[in-house]
């Protein structure tokens, strides 16, 4: 059966960083809804134009649009063995929709690791984050610097600072997370598939804890 995992956690918790590690280790596709939106933005598609304002303000893109985009991605043949979802679902309505679409593939969410990091640390992480233009690899100027400033270690593409990583927008994104996404902790916890991971440790130690949780599931 296909294996689907959902990485949950506030903006800056380390979801993207860890998703790359886990996806590579298990040969799973990494689906980041934020990356999908940014790709659409770059190509100025209708979807990108629609999402732009919400993203700049640090608000959620409406559920119907987001769900349709992820459904389209999950339906592709490369997801037959499963996928690691990063940044989706972000609302209970999205979580319900995910469960319905996975049922269509005779599958379900296997485990939801919650990467837990206190708010104070999130602001420092996001204000020093550098993102790769080509494939969304992430670095941090202090905590995980690239070998060469401004260049991605993995694919040599340019690194840039996201517009929505500015302090004012970050604060709004954290508020939006608390109000609209944090209810998913109870949602998945009541379904007995949530596992809490201490996200304040080093990147390597968080990976170890995550891999151990997946092995145990
Ligand atoms: P981060 O990883 O830093 O939390 P993302 O890259 O996941 O941020 O998301 C960037 C922006 O894209 C969000 O602030 C939101 O506007 C939009 N977005 C991403 N995923 C979703 C989603 N599942 N539902 C609604 N909006 C989303
Ligand atoms: P998310 O996808 O949850 O928004 P990212 O994976 O993009 O988070 O990480 C946010 C920032 O924090 C990046 O600059 C990343 O390099 C850095 N980071 C990720 N994990 C850690 C960690 N365990 N300790 C310190 N910094 C981290």
């Amino acid at each position: 059966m296909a294996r689907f995992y959902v990485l949950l956690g506030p903006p800056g918790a380390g979801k993207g960083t860890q998703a790359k590690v886990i996806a590579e280790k298990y040969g799973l596709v990494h689906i980041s809804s934020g990356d999908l939106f940014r790709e659409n933005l770059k190509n100025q598609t209708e979807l990108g134009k629609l999402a732009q304002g919400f993203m700049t303000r640090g608000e959620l893109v409406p559920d119907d649009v987001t769900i349709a985009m992820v459904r389209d991605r999950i339906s592709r043949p490369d997801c037959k063995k499963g996928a690691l979802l990063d940044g989706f679902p972000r609302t209970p309505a999205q979580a319900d929709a995910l469960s319905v679409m996975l049922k269509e593939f005779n599958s379900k969410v296997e485990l939801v690791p919650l990467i837990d990091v206190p708010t104070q640390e999130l602001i420092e992480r996001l204000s020093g984050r550098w993102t790769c233009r080509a494939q969304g690899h992430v670095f941090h100027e202090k905590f995980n610097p690239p070998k060469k400033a401004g260049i991605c270690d993995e694919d040599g593409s340019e690194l840039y600072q996201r517009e929505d990583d500015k302090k004012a927008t970050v604060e709004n994104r954290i508020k939006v997370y608390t109000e609209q996404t944090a209810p998913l902790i109870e949602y998945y916890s009541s379904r007995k598939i949530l596992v809490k991971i201490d996200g304040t440790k080093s990147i390597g130690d968080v990976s170890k804890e995550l891999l151990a949780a997946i092995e145990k599931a």
Side-chain angles (χ1 to χ4, degrees):
M1 195 170 86
R3 293 192 300 176
F4 286 90
Y5 300 97
V6 167
L7 278 186
L8 195 61
K15 300 182 297 297
T17 302
Q18 298 300 336
K20 298 278 182 210
V21 178
I22 302 169
E24 187 172 349
K25 166 110 183 158
Y26 292 107
L28 290 173
V29 176
H30 169 203
I31 300 180
S32 154
S33 44
D35 284 351
L36 291 176
F37 280 129
R38 279 184 289 280
E39 187 74 26
N40 277 281
L41 215 70
K42 193 167 77 185
N43 298 329
Q44 279 295 295
T45 65
E46 284 308 310
L47 177 65
K49 286 182 202 158
L50 194 152
Q52 187 156 25
F54 297 100
M55 294 175 79
T56 311
R57 293 189 296 273
E59 295 166 9
L60 295 187
V61 179
D63 280 340
D64 54 344
V65 177
T66 305
I67 290 165
M69 175 183 76
V70 173
R71 175 193 295 279
D72 177 66
R73 181 66 192 88
I74 284 183
S75 309
R76 292 200 217 147
D78 61 346
C79 294
K80 277 226 156 53
K81 280 201 276 177
L84 185 60
L85 299 174
D86 155 19
F88 181 92
R90 258 174 156 94
T91 62
Q94 292 181 14
D96 285 342
L98 175 65
S99 152
V100 171
M101 62 180 106
L102 292 186
K103 255 189 209 127
E104 289 168 21
F105 304 118
N106 269 327
S107 194
K108 60 179 171 47
V109 176
E110 207 136 301
L111 193 73
V112 181
L114 165 68
I115 308 182
D116 212 16
V117 175
T119 305
Q120 202 43 44
E121 214 158 311
L122 299 174
I123 295 171
E124 198 183 356
R125 285 191 185 184
L126 292 176
S127 58
R129 169 159 77 179
W130 287 81
T131 303
C132 137
R133 284 231 190 260
Q135 298 182 71
H137 295 109
V138 288
F139 297 86
H140 191 282
E141 53 195 28
K142 230 163 64 190
F143 307 134
N144 183 25
K147 291 195 184 80
K148 223 170 130 194
I151 306 286
C152 176
D153 288 359
E154 306 294 329
D155 59 32
S157 77
E158 183 201 7
L159 298 178
Y160 74 105
Q161 287 194 291
R162 276 169 48 179
E163 192 58 29
D164 60 344
D165 279 347
K166 283 186 299 202
K167 194 162 181 279
T169 315
V170 164
E171 281 169 351
N172 192 44
R173 286 163 59 204
I174 293 171
K175 184 167 164 268
V176 166
Y177 172 81
T178 308
E179 291 173 359
Q180 300 188 52
T181 307
L184 290 182
I185 298 173
E186 176 53 33
Y187 181 103
Y188 284 122
S189 174
S190 70
R191 286 162 177 77
K192 313 254 182 282
I193 49 175
L194 188 101
V195 55
K196 224 185 225 192
I197 306 288
D198 179 1
T200 62
K201 296 183 183 167
S202 70
I203 292 175
D205 283 349
V206 175
S207 299
K208 275 190 206 141
E209 209 177 310
L210 260 169
L211 292 171
I214 290 174
E215 290 297 331
K216 231 178 95 184

